[in-house]
Amino acid sequence: MSHLRLTHDSDDSAKIVPKSWCAAFIFVAMALSGCADTRNTPSCDTLFKAGELREFVLENDNVVRDGRSGLRWFRCAAGQTIQDGLCQGDPLRLNWDQAHQFAAEFSQASGKTWRLPTYAEMKAARQTDCQNPAYNPNAFPALPIENFWTSTEQVATIGQACQIFSYTGHGHCRAFKRDGYLFMLLED
């Protein structure tokens, strides 16, 4: 009888229910509650009205400041430029070391210090109420749906770093540094 479970109905009558049904119910309930259903999450392009920046402040065509953190972001993926209000051109797809080297060269050419954002900074800049991409389309116009490097390294494994997937704004820290990904720049 160890495979049966005694339960009570509302009228206080007892029933015997197989434990496997109880376990199956608990498993399905846990599986469904642990999943994030993003099918009904709106696209940021449809959620934001034209020109709506919310917490961002447009400092010039190329830079927005996050009013929450004070961080100054280059609006396009590295390698792109703003033309007619949109990021144009091919974004750079570099390995992690090359991306940091590009930031250093970009800093030297611009006279300002630029760097890759940390994992926490990239996640904090995302919009939690929309996706596709999960970033304000007026602050970051035509942001590619791609994995983006962050400056945060994987602590437990040599040769890996963190990246963010722009579609959802979520990421992981298991990307091999030798692989090529897009990246954003922050003014330090």
Side-chain angles (χ1 to χ4, degrees):
M1 286 279 211
S2 66
H3 64 287
L4 299 177
R5 178 178 175 87
L6 182 63
T7 63
H8 295 279
D9 279 345
S10 59
D11 64 353
D12 245 1
S13 61
K15 284 186 178 179
I16 297 178
V17 179
K19 281 188 177 179
S20 60
W21 282 105
C22 293
F25 174 76
I26 291 170
F27 174 76
V28 169
M30 288 176 58
L32 291 176
S33 68
C35 296
D37 183 3
T38 59
R39 291 176 291 182
N40 295 322
T41 304
S43 169
C44 288
D45 286 333
T46 60
L47 186 66
F48 283 83
K49 294 179 178 97
E52 181 184 0
L53 291 169
R54 288 192 189 171
E55 60 277 346
F56 289 94
V57 176
L58 186 64
E59 295 208 342
N60 60 53
D61 282 348
N62 295 312
V63 177
V64 289
R65 181 177 38 83
D66 187 334
R68 299 165 297 188
S69 65
L71 295 173
R72 294 170 40 95
W73 292 81
F74 193 78
R75 297 176 66 200
C76 299
Q80 293 184 307
T81 57
I82 293 275
Q83 295 174 1
D84 300 321
L86 294 175
C87 295
Q88 306 275 333
D90 293 326
L92 296 175
R93 186 177 307 275
L94 301 176
N95 71 37
W96 194 78
D97 290 325
Q98 291 168 335
H100 283 278
Q101 182 61 38
F102 177 86
E105 292 170 8
F106 190 78
S107 296
Q108 188 173 13
S110 70
K112 297 178 181 181
T113 304
W114 294 90
R115 62 175 174 84
L116 274 67
T118 66
Y119 184 78
E121 290 166 339
M122 191 84 177
K123 283 188 74 95
R126 79 180 194 269
Q127 302 297 300
T128 58
D129 54 349
C130 59
Q131 63 185 12
N132 189 25
Y135 293 85
N136 183 322
N138 299 310
F140 305 102
L143 186 69
I145 304 296
E146 293 273 352
N147 287 314
F148 282 77
W149 279 127
T150 72
S151 63
T152 307
E153 295 184 72
Q154 164 60 277
V155 177
T157 308
I158 295 173
Q160 292 183 343
C162 302
Q163 61 178 261
I164 298 284
F165 182 45
S166 63
Y167 184 89
T168 60
H170 297 291
H172 64 84
C173 296
R174 297 177 307 275
F176 290 103
K177 291 180 178 181
R178 66 177 178 262
D179 295 339
Y181 295 107
L182 278 53
F183 56 100
M184 301 293 289
L185 294 171
L186 276 180
E187 188 177 345
D188 218 6

